[in-house]
Amino acid sequence: MSRLLHIEASPRGARSRSSQLATRLTAGLKSRLPGLELDLVNVWREELPPLDGDLIAAKYARLAGTALAPREAQAWASVEAMVRRLDAADRIVISSPLWNFSIPYRLKHYIDLVTQPGLTFSFDPKTGYRPLLRTRPVDIILASAGDYRFGPSWGRPDLATPYLREALAFIGLRDVRVIPVGPTVGEEADVSAAVARAVAALDLALQEA
């Protein structure tokens, strides 16, 4: 392994539980794997290209096998660069909070951008969709105010975990481990126990690296 990609989806910086634990994991991996390079994609600081008309037109032109107009080609080139950066990673860490049952819109934006025909998936009318990325370990650290270990938290569903698993598998990233951290608010003992469970899961991930 030579390259680790950390996709950071919390805007809270050092106050973020998911970011704190991701830092612990990436530091542990670098310690165990000398020479490992860390590439950080903070979706709040990166200039993610807009998913606008030019990019949508480029996507459908690719699906139809037709030529791209100059503005479409420029938009497509920006997405190709993002996919190259993703595909260069030998391991991926995604750290994110759970917002309104799902993930932050900036992380959804990133996933929408890299999920493109001919780059991360293909489609054949006879056989359907096929992922194009090689599989590799993906660790998802998902922090939430509630405790979703046994199902919905006070009636609130966790839609982030199944979405991330399906979205990543669609492009070929099937070796996924989700490490929940919750609750992150409430009684101090409950929060401490949630963090301890997450740390134990991180330690296991490091032992298997």
Side-chain angles (χ1 to χ4, degrees), residues 155-180:
R156 300 169 302 171
D158 168 14
L159 303 181
T161 297
Y163 166 73
L164 288 169
R165 286 190 180 277
E166 291 295 332
L168 294 172
F170 183 74
I171 59 176
L173 303 176
R174 295 191 175 95
D175 184 6
V176 173
R177 181 202 319 254
V178 179
I179 300 172

PDB file of all heavy atoms in Angstrom, residues 155-180:
ATOM      1  N   GLY A 155     -37.003   7.086  16.475  1.00  0.00           N
ATOM      2  CA  GLY A 155     -37.795   7.150  15.259  1.00  0.00           C
ATOM      3  C   GLY A 155     -37.059   7.675  14.036  1.00  0.00           C
ATOM      4  O   GLY A 155     -37.603   7.657  12.931  1.00  0.00           O
ATOM      5  N   ARG A 156     -35.818   8.134  14.206  1.00  0.00           N
ATOM      6  CA  ARG A 156     -35.056   8.693  13.086  1.00  0.00           C
ATOM      7  C   ARG A 156     -34.214   7.594  12.438  1.00  0.00           C
ATOM      8  O   ARG A 156     -33.403   6.961  13.106  1.00  0.00           O
ATOM      9  CB  ARG A 156     -34.133   9.822  13.565  1.00  0.00           C
ATOM     10  CG  ARG A 156     -34.866  10.979  14.219  1.00  0.00           C
ATOM     11  CD  ARG A 156     -33.890  11.923  14.891  1.00  0.00           C
ATOM     12  NE  ARG A 156     -33.094  11.229  15.901  1.00  0.00           N
ATOM     13  CZ  ARG A 156     -32.047  11.769  16.526  1.00  0.00           C
ATOM     14  NH1 ARG A 156     -31.641  12.980  16.223  1.00  0.00           N
ATOM     15  NH2 ARG A 156     -31.394  11.070  17.434  1.00  0.00           N
ATOM     16  N   PRO A 157     -34.352   7.391  11.125  1.00  0.00           N
ATOM     17  CA  PRO A 157     -33.581   6.334  10.461  1.00  0.00           C
ATOM     18  C   PRO A 157     -32.181   6.801  10.079  1.00  0.00           C
ATOM     19  O   PRO A 157     -31.935   8.001   9.897  1.00  0.00           O
ATOM     20  CB  PRO A 157     -34.406   6.051   9.202  1.00  0.00           C
ATOM     21  CG  PRO A 157     -35.008   7.388   8.876  1.00  0.00           C
ATOM     22  CD  PRO A 157     -35.303   8.038  10.199  1.00  0.00           C
ATOM     23  N   ASP A 158     -31.281   5.860   9.977  1.00  0.00           N
ATOM     24  CA  ASP A 158     -29.939   6.110   9.427  1.00  0.00           C
ATOM     25  C   ASP A 158     -29.985   5.732   7.945  1.00  0.00           C
ATOM     26  O   ASP A 158     -29.909   4.562   7.592  1.00  0.00           O
ATOM     27  CB  ASP A 158     -28.897   5.267  10.170  1.00  0.00           C
ATOM     28  CG  ASP A 158     -27.537   5.241   9.474  1.00  0.00           C
ATOM     29  OD1 ASP A 158     -27.301   6.070   8.570  1.00  0.00           O
ATOM     30  OD2 ASP A 158     -26.717   4.369   9.821  1.00  0.00           O
ATOM     31  N   LEU A 159     -30.114   6.728   7.082  1.00  0.00           N
ATOM     32  CA  LEU A 159     -30.104   6.492   5.643  1.00  0.00           C
ATOM     33  C   LEU A 159     -28.708   6.628   5.059  1.00  0.00           C
ATOM     34  O   LEU A 159     -28.485   6.274   3.899  1.00  0.00           O
ATOM     35  CB  LEU A 159     -31.049   7.473   4.942  1.00  0.00           C
ATOM     36  CG  LEU A 159     -32.503   7.462   5.419  1.00  0.00           C
ATOM     37  CD1 LEU A 159     -33.336   8.464   4.629  1.00  0.00           C
ATOM     38  CD2 LEU A 159     -33.106   6.071   5.316  1.00  0.00           C
ATOM     39  N   ALA A 160     -27.775   7.131   5.856  1.00  0.00           N
ATOM     40  CA  ALA A 160     -26.417   7.359   5.356  1.00  0.00           C
ATOM     41  C   ALA A 160     -25.677   6.050   5.121  1.00  0.00           C
ATOM     42  O   ALA A 160     -25.020   5.872   4.089  1.00  0.00           O
ATOM     43  CB  ALA A 160     -25.636   8.239   6.329  1.00  0.00           C
ATOM     44  N   THR A 161     -25.770   5.121   6.073  1.00  0.00           N
ATOM     45  CA  THR A 161     -25.015   3.872   5.954  1.00  0.00           C
ATOM     46  C   THR A 161     -25.409   3.064   4.719  1.00  0.00           C
ATOM     47  O   THR A 161     -24.536   2.699   3.916  1.00  0.00           O
ATOM     48  CB  THR A 161     -25.158   3.031   7.235  1.00  0.00           C
ATOM     49  OG1 THR A 161     -24.585   3.758   8.337  1.00  0.00           O
ATOM     50  CG2 THR A 161     -24.440   1.702   7.094  1.00  0.00           C
ATOM     51  N   PRO A 162     -26.693   2.773   4.503  1.00  0.00           N
ATOM     52  CA  PRO A 162     -27.028   2.016   3.288  1.00  0.00           C
ATOM     53  C   PRO A 162     -26.726   2.788   2.008  1.00  0.00           C
ATOM     54  O   PRO A 162     -26.317   2.186   1.008  1.00  0.00           O
ATOM     55  CB  PRO A 162     -28.530   1.728   3.446  1.00  0.00           C
ATOM     56  CG  PRO A 162     -29.014   2.713   4.442  1.00  0.00           C
ATOM     57  CD  PRO A 162     -27.873   2.982   5.354  1.00  0.00           C
ATOM     58  N   TYR A 163     -26.917   4.108   2.034  1.00  0.00           N
ATOM     59  CA  TYR A 163     -26.614   4.881   0.826  1.00  0.00           C
ATOM     60  C   TYR A 163     -25.131   4.793   0.481  1.00  0.00           C
ATOM     61  O   TYR A 163     -24.762   4.539  -0.676  1.00  0.00           O
ATOM     62  CB  TYR A 163     -27.007   6.353   0.996  1.00  0.00           C
ATOM     63  CG  TYR A 163     -26.391   7.208  -0.082  1.00  0.00           C
ATOM     64  CD1 TYR A 163     -26.871   7.155  -1.389  1.00  0.00           C
ATOM     65  CD2 TYR A 163     -25.283   8.017   0.183  1.00  0.00           C
ATOM     66  CE1 TYR A 163     -26.274   7.897  -2.397  1.00  0.00           C
ATOM     67  CE2 TYR A 163     -24.691   8.752  -0.820  1.00  0.00           C
ATOM     68  CZ  TYR A 163     -25.193   8.699  -2.111  1.00  0.00           C
ATOM     69  OH  TYR A 163     -24.583   9.426  -3.102  1.00  0.00           O
ATOM     70  N   LEU A 164     -24.265   5.006   1.457  1.00  0.00           N
ATOM     71  CA  LEU A 164     -22.829   4.978   1.192  1.00  0.00           C
ATOM     72  C   LEU A 164     -22.390   3.601   0.711  1.00  0.00           C
ATOM     73  O   LEU A 164     -21.580   3.495  -0.223  1.00  0.00           O
ATOM     74  CB  LEU A 164     -22.047   5.395   2.441  1.00  0.00           C
ATOM     75  CG  LEU A 164     -22.124   6.887   2.789  1.00  0.00           C
ATOM     76  CD1 LEU A 164     -21.534   7.141   4.174  1.00  0.00           C
ATOM     77  CD2 LEU A 164     -21.387   7.726   1.745  1.00  0.00           C
ATOM     78  N   ARG A 165     -22.904   2.555   1.324  1.00  0.00           N
ATOM     79  CA  ARG A 165     -22.534   1.199   0.876  1.00  0.00           C
ATOM     80  C   ARG A 165     -22.940   0.984  -0.581  1.00  0.00           C
ATOM     81  O   ARG A 165     -22.162   0.460  -1.380  1.00  0.00           O
ATOM     82  CB  ARG A 165     -23.209   0.151   1.767  1.00  0.00           C
ATOM     83  CG  ARG A 165     -22.588   0.021   3.163  1.00  0.00           C
ATOM     84  CD  ARG A 165     -23.151  -1.190   3.877  1.00  0.00           C
ATOM     85  NE  ARG A 165     -22.608  -1.363   5.200  1.00  0.00           N
ATOM     86  CZ  ARG A 165     -21.445  -1.951   5.469  1.00  0.00           C
ATOM     87  NH1 ARG A 165     -20.699  -2.414   4.471  1.00  0.00           N
ATOM     88  NH2 ARG A 165     -21.015  -2.080   6.718  1.00  0.00           N
ATOM     89  N   GLU A 166     -24.156   1.363  -0.929  1.00  0.00           N
ATOM     90  CA  GLU A 166     -24.639   1.141  -2.292  1.00  0.00           C
ATOM     91  C   GLU A 166     -23.920   2.039  -3.294  1.00  0.00           C
ATOM     92  O   GLU A 166     -23.554   1.592  -4.397  1.00  0.00           O
ATOM     93  CB  GLU A 166     -26.150   1.379  -2.358  1.00  0.00           C
ATOM     94  CG  GLU A 166     -26.977   0.345  -1.631  1.00  0.00           C
ATOM     95  CD  GLU A 166     -26.857  -1.040  -2.258  1.00  0.00           C
ATOM     96  OE1 GLU A 166     -26.608  -1.140  -3.474  1.00  0.00           O
ATOM     97  OE2 GLU A 166     -27.015  -2.035  -1.523  1.00  0.00           O
ATOM     98  N   ALA A 167     -23.723   3.300  -2.952  1.00  0.00           N
ATOM     99  CA  ALA A 167     -23.073   4.235  -3.872  1.00  0.00           C
ATOM    100  C   ALA A 167     -21.630   3.826  -4.147  1.00  0.00           C
ATOM    101  O   ALA A 167     -21.159   3.912  -5.294  1.00  0.00           O
ATOM    102  CB  ALA A 167     -23.123   5.656  -3.295  1.00  0.00           C
ATOM    103  N   LEU A 168     -20.923   3.364  -3.129  1.00  0.00           N
ATOM    104  CA  LEU A 168     -19.539   2.950  -3.310  1.00  0.00           C
ATOM    105  C   LEU A 168     -19.458   1.632  -4.072  1.00  0.00           C
ATOM    106  O   LEU A 168     -18.606   1.454  -4.947  1.00  0.00           O
ATOM    107  CB  LEU A 168     -18.847   2.837  -1.954  1.00  0.00           C
ATOM    108  CG  LEU A 168     -18.683   4.157  -1.193  1.00  0.00           C
ATOM    109  CD1 LEU A 168     -18.159   3.896   0.212  1.00  0.00           C
ATOM    110  CD2 LEU A 168     -17.753   5.114  -1.929  1.00  0.00           C
ATOM    111  N   ALA A 169     -20.343   0.693  -3.757  1.00  0.00           N
ATOM    112  CA  ALA A 169     -20.346  -0.591  -4.469  1.00  0.00           C
ATOM    113  C   ALA A 169     -20.652  -0.393  -5.949  1.00  0.00           C
ATOM    114  O   ALA A 169     -20.124  -1.120  -6.802  1.00  0.00           O
ATOM    115  CB  ALA A 169     -21.365  -1.536  -3.844  1.00  0.00           C
ATOM    116  N   PHE A 170     -21.471   0.578  -6.268  1.00  0.00           N
ATOM    117  CA  PHE A 170     -21.856   0.825  -7.654  1.00  0.00           C
ATOM    118  C   PHE A 170     -20.652   1.148  -8.533  1.00  0.00           C
ATOM    119  O   PHE A 170     -20.616   0.804  -9.711  1.00  0.00           O
ATOM    120  CB  PHE A 170     -22.860   1.983  -7.701  1.00  0.00           C
ATOM    121  CG  PHE A 170     -23.371   2.281  -9.078  1.00  0.00           C
ATOM    122  CD1 PHE A 170     -24.279   1.451  -9.700  1.00  0.00           C
ATOM    123  CD2 PHE A 170     -22.927   3.408  -9.764  1.00  0.00           C
ATOM    124  CE1 PHE A 170     -24.749   1.728 -10.983  1.00  0.00           C
ATOM    125  CE2 PHE A 170     -23.385   3.697 -11.044  1.00  0.00           C
ATOM    126  CZ  PHE A 170     -24.307   2.852 -11.651  1.00  0.00           C
ATOM    127  N   ILE A 171     -19.637   1.788  -7.943  1.00  0.00           N
ATOM    128  CA  ILE A 171     -18.446   2.131  -8.727  1.00  0.00           C
ATOM    129  C   ILE A 171     -17.288   1.162  -8.477  1.00  0.00           C
ATOM    130  O   ILE A 171     -16.197   1.343  -9.016  1.00  0.00           O
ATOM    131  CB  ILE A 171     -17.993   3.586  -8.475  1.00  0.00           C
ATOM    132  CG1 ILE A 171     -17.667   3.837  -7.008  1.00  0.00           C
ATOM    133  CG2 ILE A 171     -19.069   4.562  -8.958  1.00  0.00           C
ATOM    134  CD1 ILE A 171     -17.129   5.237  -6.720  1.00  0.00           C
ATOM    135  N   GLY A 172     -17.513   0.132  -7.643  1.00  0.00           N
ATOM    136  CA  GLY A 172     -16.507  -0.905  -7.455  1.00  0.00           C
ATOM    137  C   GLY A 172     -15.895  -0.988  -6.077  1.00  0.00           C
ATOM    138  O   GLY A 172     -15.105  -1.893  -5.805  1.00  0.00           O
ATOM    139  N   LEU A 173     -16.238  -0.061  -5.189  1.00  0.00           N
ATOM    140  CA  LEU A 173     -15.639  -0.039  -3.851  1.00  0.00           C
ATOM    141  C   LEU A 173     -16.543  -0.827  -2.903  1.00  0.00           C
ATOM    142  O   LEU A 173     -17.428  -0.281  -2.246  1.00  0.00           O
ATOM    143  CB  LEU A 173     -15.467   1.411  -3.384  1.00  0.00           C
ATOM    144  CG  LEU A 173     -14.622   2.292  -4.311  1.00  0.00           C
ATOM    145  CD1 LEU A 173     -14.594   3.726  -3.820  1.00  0.00           C
ATOM    146  CD2 LEU A 173     -13.203   1.738  -4.444  1.00  0.00           C
ATOM    147  N   ARG A 174     -16.291  -2.134  -2.829  1.00  0.00           N
ATOM    148  CA  ARG A 174     -17.176  -3.031  -2.090  1.00  0.00           C
ATOM    149  C   ARG A 174     -16.620  -3.449  -0.731  1.00  0.00           C
ATOM    150  O   ARG A 174     -17.351  -3.987   0.088  1.00  0.00           O
ATOM    151  CB  ARG A 174     -17.435  -4.293  -2.927  1.00  0.00           C
ATOM    152  CG  ARG A 174     -18.193  -4.024  -4.217  1.00  0.00           C
ATOM    153  CD  ARG A 174     -18.640  -5.351  -4.825  1.00  0.00           C
ATOM    154  NE  ARG A 174     -19.464  -5.170  -6.005  1.00  0.00           N
ATOM    155  CZ  ARG A 174     -19.008  -5.184  -7.252  1.00  0.00           C
ATOM    156  NH1 ARG A 174     -17.715  -5.375  -7.461  1.00  0.00           N
ATOM    157  NH2 ARG A 174     -19.818  -5.008  -8.266  1.00  0.00           N
ATOM    158  N   ASP A 175     -15.327  -3.250  -0.513  1.00  0.00           N
ATOM    159  CA  ASP A 175     -14.705  -3.682   0.744  1.00  0.00           C
ATOM    160  C   ASP A 175     -14.851  -2.551   1.761  1.00  0.00           C
ATOM    161  O   ASP A 175     -13.914  -1.807   2.039  1.00  0.00           O
ATOM    162  CB  ASP A 175     -13.231  -4.025   0.497  1.00  0.00           C
ATOM    163  CG  ASP A 175     -12.554  -4.581   1.742  1.00  0.00           C
ATOM    164  OD1 ASP A 175     -13.245  -4.812   2.752  1.00  0.00           O
ATOM    165  OD2 ASP A 175     -11.319  -4.760   1.707  1.00  0.00           O
ATOM    166  N   VAL A 176     -16.069  -2.424   2.308  1.00  0.00           N
ATOM    167  CA  VAL A 176     -16.424  -1.267   3.140  1.00  0.00           C
ATOM    168  C   VAL A 176     -16.643  -1.691   4.586  1.00  0.00           C
ATOM    169  O   VAL A 176     -17.336  -2.678   4.866  1.00  0.00           O
ATOM    170  CB  VAL A 176     -17.691  -0.578   2.597  1.00  0.00           C
ATOM    171  CG1 VAL A 176     -18.168   0.513   3.550  1.00  0.00           C
ATOM    172  CG2 VAL A 176     -17.427   0.001   1.206  1.00  0.00           C
ATOM    173  N   ARG A 177     -16.058  -0.932   5.492  1.00  0.00           N
ATOM    174  CA  ARG A 177     -16.289  -1.113   6.930  1.00  0.00           C
ATOM    175  C   ARG A 177     -16.850   0.208   7.466  1.00  0.00           C
ATOM    176  O   ARG A 177     -16.237   1.266   7.291  1.00  0.00           O
ATOM    177  CB  ARG A 177     -14.978  -1.440   7.639  1.00  0.00           C
ATOM    178  CG  ARG A 177     -15.116  -1.668   9.156  1.00  0.00           C
ATOM    179  CD  ARG A 177     -13.795  -1.457   9.899  1.00  0.00           C
ATOM    180  NE  ARG A 177     -12.659  -2.019   9.193  1.00  0.00           N
ATOM    181  CZ  ARG A 177     -12.007  -3.140   9.553  1.00  0.00           C
ATOM    182  NH1 ARG A 177     -12.388  -3.803  10.609  1.00  0.00           N
ATOM    183  NH2 ARG A 177     -10.966  -3.555   8.871  1.00  0.00           N
ATOM    184  N   VAL A 178     -18.016   0.149   8.085  1.00  0.00           N
ATOM    185  CA  VAL A 178     -18.619   1.339   8.681  1.00  0.00           C
ATOM    186  C   VAL A 178     -18.371   1.317  10.181  1.00  0.00           C
ATOM    187  O   VAL A 178     -18.686   0.328  10.860  1.00  0.00           O
ATOM    188  CB  VAL A 178     -20.126   1.420   8.389  1.00  0.00           C
ATOM    189  CG1 VAL A 178     -20.739   2.653   9.051  1.00  0.00           C
ATOM    190  CG2 VAL A 178     -20.374   1.444   6.879  1.00  0.00           C
ATOM    191  N   ILE A 179     -17.798   2.406  10.679  1.00  0.00           N
ATOM    192  CA  ILE A 179     -17.511   2.543  12.105  1.00  0.00           C
ATOM    193  C   ILE A 179     -18.402   3.648  12.648  1.00  0.00           C
ATOM    194  O   ILE A 179     -18.129   4.834  12.456  1.00  0.00           O
ATOM    195  CB  ILE A 179     -16.019   2.866  12.337  1.00  0.00           C
ATOM    196  CG1 ILE A 179     -15.153   1.745  11.767  1.00  0.00           C
ATOM    197  CG2 ILE A 179     -15.745   3.071  13.827  1.00  0.00           C
ATOM    198  CD1 ILE A 179     -13.672   2.055  11.771  1.00  0.00           C
ATOM    199  N   PRO A 180     -19.510   3.288  13.313  1.00  0.00           N
ATOM    200  CA  PRO A 180     -20.414   4.318  13.837  1.00  0.00           C
ATOM    201  C   PRO A 180     -19.873   4.935  15.119  1.00  0.00           C
ATOM    202  O   PRO A 180     -19.194   4.265  15.906  1.00  0.00           O
ATOM    203  CB  PRO A 180     -21.707   3.546  14.085  1.00  0.00           C
ATOM    204  CG  PRO A 180     -21.257   2.148  14.371  1.00  0.00           C
ATOM    205  CD  PRO A 180     -20.001   1.929  13.553  1.00  0.00           C
TER     206      PRO A 180
END
